[in-house]
Amino acid sequence: MISEFLKVNPTSFSRATIYRKLEGMGYSRRCLRKQVIIRNANLIKRRKWAKSWLRWVVSDWMGHIFSDETSVQIGGNRKIYVWRKNDEKDRPHLVPKKARSSVLKVVMWGCITSKGKGILLPVEGAINSAKYCQVLQDGLLPVADWYYPDDNYIFVQDNAPCHSSAQTREWLEERQIRVSQWPPQSPDINLIENVWRWMKIELQKSIDAIESRQDLIDSLQRIWREIPDEKVMELYHSLPTRMAAIVKSKGTMTKY
Protein backbone atom coordinates (compact mmCIF):
# COMPACT_ATOMS: atom_id res chain seq x y z
CA MET A 1 0.00 0.00 0.00
CA ILE A 2 2.77 2.45 0.96
CA SER A 3 4.70 1.52 -2.19
CA GLU A 4 1.73 2.36 -4.39
CA PHE A 5 1.20 5.63 -2.53
CA LEU A 6 4.84 6.69 -3.04
CA LYS A 7 4.63 5.91 -6.75
CA VAL A 8 1.59 8.11 -7.20
CA ASN A 9 2.70 10.77 -4.71
CA PRO A 10 6.49 11.26 -4.90
CA THR A 11 7.89 12.58 -1.63
CA SER A 12 11.21 13.06 0.10
CA PHE A 13 9.94 11.17 3.15
CA SER A 14 11.22 7.63 3.58
CA ARG A 15 9.04 4.60 4.12
CA ALA A 16 10.28 4.40 7.72
CA THR A 17 9.25 8.01 8.36
CA ILE A 18 5.76 7.32 7.03
CA TYR A 19 5.50 4.19 9.20
CA ARG A 20 6.49 6.18 12.31
CA LYS A 21 3.98 8.90 11.51
CA LEU A 22 1.15 6.41 11.08
CA GLU A 23 2.12 4.63 14.30
CA GLY A 24 2.19 7.99 16.09
CA MET A 25 -1.38 8.55 14.93
CA GLY A 26 -2.46 5.28 16.49
CA TYR A 27 -2.37 3.04 13.41
CA SER A 28 -0.81 -0.40 13.24
CA ARG A 29 0.10 -2.44 10.19
CA ARG A 30 -1.92 -5.63 10.36
CA CYS A 31 -2.59 -8.62 8.19
CA LEU A 32 -6.22 -9.32 7.40
CA ARG A 33 -6.94 -12.43 9.42
CA LYS A 34 -8.53 -15.55 8.00
CA GLN A 35 -11.38 -17.14 9.87
CA VAL A 36 -10.43 -20.44 11.50
CA ILE A 37 -13.27 -22.96 11.63
CA ILE A 38 -12.71 -25.76 14.14
CA ARG A 39 -14.58 -29.02 13.71
CA ASN A 40 -16.98 -29.92 16.53
CA ALA A 41 -15.00 -33.02 17.48
CA ASN A 42 -11.86 -30.93 17.78
CA LEU A 43 -13.63 -28.32 19.90
CA ILE A 44 -14.25 -31.06 22.44
CA LYS A 45 -10.66 -32.32 22.23
CA ARG A 46 -9.22 -28.81 22.64
CA ARG A 47 -11.36 -28.04 25.69
CA LYS A 48 -10.67 -31.40 27.31
CA TRP A 49 -6.93 -31.07 26.68
CA ALA A 50 -6.72 -27.50 28.03
CA LYS A 51 -8.78 -28.44 31.07
CA SER A 52 -6.30 -31.19 31.93
CA TRP A 53 -3.51 -28.58 32.19
CA LEU A 54 -5.36 -25.89 34.14
CA ARG A 55 -3.41 -26.67 37.30
CA TRP A 56 -0.08 -26.06 35.61
CA VAL A 57 1.74 -22.83 36.47
CA VAL A 58 4.33 -21.06 34.33
CA SER A 59 7.27 -22.99 35.78
CA ASP A 60 5.69 -26.27 34.69
CA TRP A 61 5.96 -25.19 31.06
CA MET A 62 9.60 -24.13 31.16
CA GLY A 63 10.88 -27.46 29.87
CA HIS A 64 8.81 -27.44 26.68
CA ILE A 65 10.46 -26.85 23.31
CA PHE A 66 7.90 -25.46 20.87
CA SER A 67 8.49 -26.06 17.17
CA ASP A 68 6.83 -25.76 13.79
CA GLU A 69 7.29 -24.89 10.13
CA THR A 70 6.02 -21.76 8.45
CA SER A 71 5.72 -20.80 4.80
CA VAL A 72 6.79 -17.28 3.89
CA GLN A 73 5.89 -15.88 0.50
CA ILE A 74 6.55 -12.50 -1.04
CA GLY A 75 4.38 -11.73 -4.02
CA GLY A 76 1.17 -13.32 -5.19
CA ASN A 77 -0.80 -11.07 -2.84
CA ARG A 78 -1.33 -13.91 -0.37
CA LYS A 79 -0.99 -11.63 2.65
CA ILE A 80 -2.93 -8.39 2.63
CA TYR A 81 -1.96 -5.64 5.05
CA VAL A 82 -3.83 -2.49 6.01
CA TRP A 83 -3.10 0.43 8.32
CA ARG A 84 -5.82 0.81 10.92
CA LYS A 85 -6.41 1.81 14.50
CA ASN A 86 -7.12 -0.73 17.23
CA ASP A 87 -10.81 0.16 17.37
CA GLU A 88 -11.33 0.14 13.58
CA LYS A 89 -12.34 -2.74 11.37
CA ASP A 90 -10.11 -3.79 8.48
CA ARG A 91 -10.72 -1.64 5.42
CA PRO A 92 -10.34 -3.78 2.29
CA HIS A 93 -10.51 -0.78 -0.05
CA LEU A 94 -7.10 0.27 1.26
CA VAL A 95 -5.47 -2.96 0.07
CA PRO A 96 -3.12 -2.70 -2.95
CA LYS A 97 -4.71 -4.18 -6.05
CA LYS A 98 -1.49 -5.29 -7.77
CA ALA A 99 0.65 -8.17 -6.62
CA ARG A 100 4.43 -8.31 -6.81
CA SER A 101 5.52 -9.39 -10.30
CA SER A 102 7.79 -12.17 -8.99
CA VAL A 103 7.02 -14.67 -6.24
CA LEU A 104 9.60 -15.69 -3.65
CA LYS A 105 8.75 -18.48 -1.24
CA VAL A 106 10.54 -20.39 1.49
CA VAL A 107 9.54 -22.83 4.21
CA MET A 108 11.32 -22.35 7.53
CA TRP A 109 11.50 -24.63 10.57
CA GLY A 110 12.32 -23.28 13.99
CA CYS A 111 12.01 -23.96 17.69
CA ILE A 112 11.96 -21.89 20.86
CA THR A 113 12.70 -22.65 24.49
CA SER A 114 12.22 -20.78 27.75
CA LYS A 115 16.01 -20.46 27.93
CA GLY A 116 16.47 -18.86 24.53
CA LYS A 117 15.60 -19.19 20.86
CA GLY A 118 16.62 -22.31 19.02
CA ILE A 119 17.67 -22.75 15.42
CA LEU A 120 15.87 -21.42 12.35
CA LEU A 121 16.38 -23.55 9.24
CA PRO A 122 15.19 -23.28 5.64
CA VAL A 123 13.61 -26.47 4.31
CA GLU A 124 14.09 -27.37 0.67
CA GLY A 125 11.09 -28.76 -1.20
CA ALA A 126 8.12 -30.63 0.21
CA ILE A 127 8.52 -31.98 3.74
CA ASN A 128 8.10 -35.73 4.06
CA SER A 129 8.94 -37.87 7.08
CA ALA A 130 12.55 -38.51 6.07
CA LYS A 131 13.20 -34.82 5.49
CA TYR A 132 11.49 -33.89 8.75
CA CYS A 133 13.66 -36.30 10.71
CA GLN A 134 16.72 -34.70 9.14
CA VAL A 135 15.40 -31.26 10.15
CA LEU A 136 15.06 -32.49 13.74
CA GLN A 137 18.58 -33.92 13.56
CA ASP A 138 19.98 -30.56 12.43
CA GLY A 139 17.67 -28.26 14.37
CA LEU A 140 16.23 -29.89 17.48
CA LEU A 141 19.10 -32.03 18.77
CA PRO A 142 21.72 -29.23 18.95
CA VAL A 143 19.23 -26.99 20.78
CA ALA A 144 18.26 -29.73 23.21
CA ASP A 145 21.92 -30.59 23.89
CA TRP A 146 22.74 -26.92 24.53
CA TYR A 147 19.82 -25.94 26.74
CA TYR A 148 18.89 -29.32 28.25
CA PRO A 149 22.07 -31.43 28.61
CA ASP A 150 20.19 -33.62 31.09
CA ASP A 151 17.52 -34.32 28.40
CA ASN A 152 14.84 -33.05 30.76
CA TYR A 153 12.59 -31.47 28.16
CA ILE A 154 9.36 -32.12 26.26
CA PHE A 155 9.14 -31.60 22.53
CA VAL A 156 6.06 -29.88 21.11
CA GLN A 157 4.93 -30.27 17.50
CA ASP A 158 1.54 -30.16 15.82
CA ASN A 159 -0.23 -33.08 14.17
CA ALA A 160 1.01 -32.61 10.59
CA PRO A 161 1.34 -35.97 8.76
CA CYS A 162 5.14 -35.87 8.66
CA HIS A 163 5.18 -35.14 12.41
CA SER A 164 2.96 -38.06 13.38
CA SER A 165 4.13 -40.66 10.85
CA ALA A 166 5.51 -44.03 11.91
CA GLN A 167 8.98 -43.06 10.67
CA THR A 168 9.04 -39.88 12.73
CA ARG A 169 7.65 -41.60 15.84
CA GLU A 170 10.36 -44.27 15.54
CA TRP A 171 13.07 -41.61 15.14
CA LEU A 172 11.88 -39.82 18.27
CA GLU A 173 11.51 -43.03 20.28
CA GLU A 174 15.01 -44.21 19.35
CA ARG A 175 16.40 -40.99 20.82
CA GLN A 176 14.09 -41.18 23.84
CA ILE A 177 12.61 -37.77 23.10
CA ARG A 178 9.43 -37.10 25.04
CA VAL A 179 6.72 -35.60 22.84
CA SER A 180 3.68 -33.74 24.12
CA GLN A 181 0.31 -34.95 22.88
CA TRP A 182 -1.16 -31.92 21.15
CA PRO A 183 -4.83 -31.26 20.31
CA PRO A 184 -5.72 -30.79 16.63
CA GLN A 185 -6.36 -27.36 15.11
CA SER A 186 -4.58 -25.55 17.94
CA PRO A 187 -2.17 -22.91 16.58
CA ASP A 188 -3.23 -20.60 19.42
CA ILE A 189 -1.47 -22.89 21.90
CA ASN A 190 1.80 -23.38 20.04
CA LEU A 191 3.89 -20.39 21.11
CA ILE A 192 6.04 -20.37 18.00
CA GLU A 193 3.02 -19.30 15.95
CA ASN A 194 3.27 -15.93 17.70
CA VAL A 195 6.93 -15.73 16.75
CA TRP A 196 6.08 -16.39 13.09
CA ARG A 197 3.55 -13.57 13.23
CA TRP A 198 6.09 -11.14 14.69
CA MET A 199 8.65 -12.10 12.06
CA LYS A 200 6.29 -11.68 9.12
CA ILE A 201 5.24 -8.25 10.32
CA GLU A 202 8.88 -7.23 10.78
CA LEU A 203 9.75 -8.61 7.35
CA GLN A 204 7.47 -6.06 5.72
CA LYS A 205 9.85 -3.26 6.76
CA SER A 206 12.61 -4.57 4.47
CA ILE A 207 10.52 -6.25 1.82
CA ASP A 208 11.61 -3.92 -1.01
CA ALA A 209 15.26 -4.91 -0.51
CA ILE A 210 14.55 -8.62 -0.99
CA GLU A 211 15.36 -9.69 -4.54
CA SER A 212 16.05 -13.42 -4.21
CA ARG A 213 15.10 -16.44 -2.19
CA GLN A 214 18.43 -16.26 -0.37
CA ASP A 215 17.71 -12.62 0.50
CA LEU A 216 14.43 -13.78 2.00
CA ILE A 217 16.13 -16.49 4.05
CA ASP A 218 18.83 -14.07 5.24
CA SER A 219 16.22 -11.50 6.26
CA LEU A 220 14.21 -14.07 8.22
CA GLN A 221 17.28 -15.37 10.02
CA ARG A 222 18.33 -11.81 10.89
CA ILE A 223 14.87 -11.06 12.29
CA TRP A 224 14.96 -14.34 14.23
CA ARG A 225 18.27 -13.42 15.85
CA GLU A 226 16.98 -9.97 16.80
CA ILE A 227 13.89 -11.20 18.65
CA PRO A 228 14.61 -10.58 22.37
CA ASP A 229 14.57 -13.70 24.52
CA GLU A 230 12.49 -11.71 27.00
CA LYS A 231 9.75 -11.45 24.41
CA VAL A 232 9.74 -15.22 23.98
CA MET A 233 9.60 -15.65 27.75
CA GLU A 234 6.44 -13.51 27.81
CA LEU A 235 4.82 -16.15 25.63
CA TYR A 236 5.65 -18.87 28.15
CA HIS A 237 4.09 -16.76 30.88
CA SER A 238 0.87 -16.62 28.86
CA LEU A 239 0.34 -20.41 28.79
CA PRO A 240 -1.81 -20.75 31.94
CA THR A 241 -4.02 -17.93 30.65
CA ARG A 242 -4.27 -19.64 27.25
CA MET A 243 -5.46 -22.87 28.86
CA ALA A 244 -8.13 -21.00 30.80
CA ALA A 245 -9.21 -19.11 27.67
CA ILE A 246 -9.71 -22.32 25.69
CA VAL A 247 -11.79 -23.87 28.47
CA LYS A 248 -13.87 -20.70 28.82
CA SER A 249 -14.47 -20.49 25.07
CA LYS A 250 -15.48 -24.19 24.97
CA GLY A 251 -12.67 -25.02 22.60
CA THR A 252 -13.13 -22.25 20.05
CA MET A 253 -10.16 -20.28 18.74
CA THR A 254 -8.81 -17.75 21.23
CA LYS A 255 -7.19 -14.35 20.70
CA TYR A 256 -3.73 -15.89 20.98
Side-chain angles (χ1 to χ4, degrees), residues 13-228:
F13 295 112
S14 67
R15 179 189 300 270
T17 299
I18 296 174
Y19 280 177
R20 285 196 298 270
K21 185 65 175 178
L22 286 168
E23 290 168 353
M25 295 169 63
Y27 289 90
S28 299
R29 193 166 189 265
R30 302 166 185 249
C31 177
L32 290 175
R33 300 184 67 179
K34 295 181 180 179
Q35 183 181 11
V36 178
I37 300 176
I38 302 176
R39 294 191 294 273
N40 288 335
N42 291 340
L43 290 173
I44 297 172
K45 290 178 181 178
R46 278 168 51 85
R47 187 174 187 273
K48 182 179 179 180
W49 186 90
K51 195 172 183 179
S52 68
W53 301 108
L54 279 178
R55 293 181 179 274
W56 273 35
V57 296
V58 173
S59 58
D60 294 321
W61 291 101
M62 293 295 101
H64 284 64
I65 300 179
F66 289 85
S67 72
D68 202 7
E69 302 87 17
T70 188
S71 177
V72 181
Q73 177 173 307
I74 297 177
N77 222 19
R78 293 184 66 195
K79 295 289 185 181
I80 302 174
Y81 289 85
V82 296
W83 283 92
R84 64 177 175 87
K85 294 183 179 179
N86 289 334
D87 58 351
E88 292 179 333
K89 292 183 179 180
D90 294 347
R91 293 175 285 180
H93 63 279
L94 295 178
V95 173
K97 294 183 174 59
K98 292 185 178 180
R100 181 186 176 102
S101 58
S102 60
V103 176
L104 302 174
K105 182 178 180 180
V106 64
V107 173
M108 307 294 289
W109 179 92
C111 65
I112 57 173
T113 80
S114 63
K115 301 182 179 184
K117 297 186 299 297
I119 295 174
L120 183 70
L121 296 173
V123 182
E124 303 293 335
I127 304 178
N128 55 25
S129 298
K131 185 173 293 185
Y132 182 61
C133 290
Q134 186 61 53
V135 167
L136 296 182
Q137 181 74 35
D138 298 338
L140 173 63
L141 294 189
V143 172
D145 289 343
W146 179 260
Y147 289 121
Y148 303 97
D150 57 356
D151 291 334
N152 188 23
Y153 69 92
I154 298 175
F155 180 54
V156 177
Q157 58 181 358
D158 63 20
N159 298 300
C162 65
H163 297 177
S164 56
S165 69
Q167 182 176 351
T168 299
R169 291 198 307 271
E170 181 180 356
W171 188 94
L172 292 165
E173 289 169 0
E174 286 177 351
R175 289 153 183 81
Q176 299 182 328
I177 296 174
R178 291 185 295 163
V179 181
S180 176
Q181 298 301 313
W182 216 244
Q185 291 190 281
S186 299
D188 53 338
I189 311 176
N190 193 340
L191 302 185
I192 202 168
E193 295 292 345
N194 297 89
V195 177
W196 297 147
R197 190 179 307 124
W198 295 339
M199 292 179 65
K200 290 175 182 180
I201 291 174
E202 188 67 23
L203 182 67
Q204 299 300 315
K205 298 179 182 179
S206 57
I207 199 168
D208 288 346
I210 298 174
E211 299 293 340
S212 67
R213 184 174 180 274
Q214 188 59 51
D215 287 344
L216 179 55
I217 293 172
D218 292 344
S219 294
L220 290 168
Q221 290 180 329
R222 171 186 57 79
I223 293 169
W224 175 268
R225 291 192 299 269
E226 292 175 353
I227 295 175

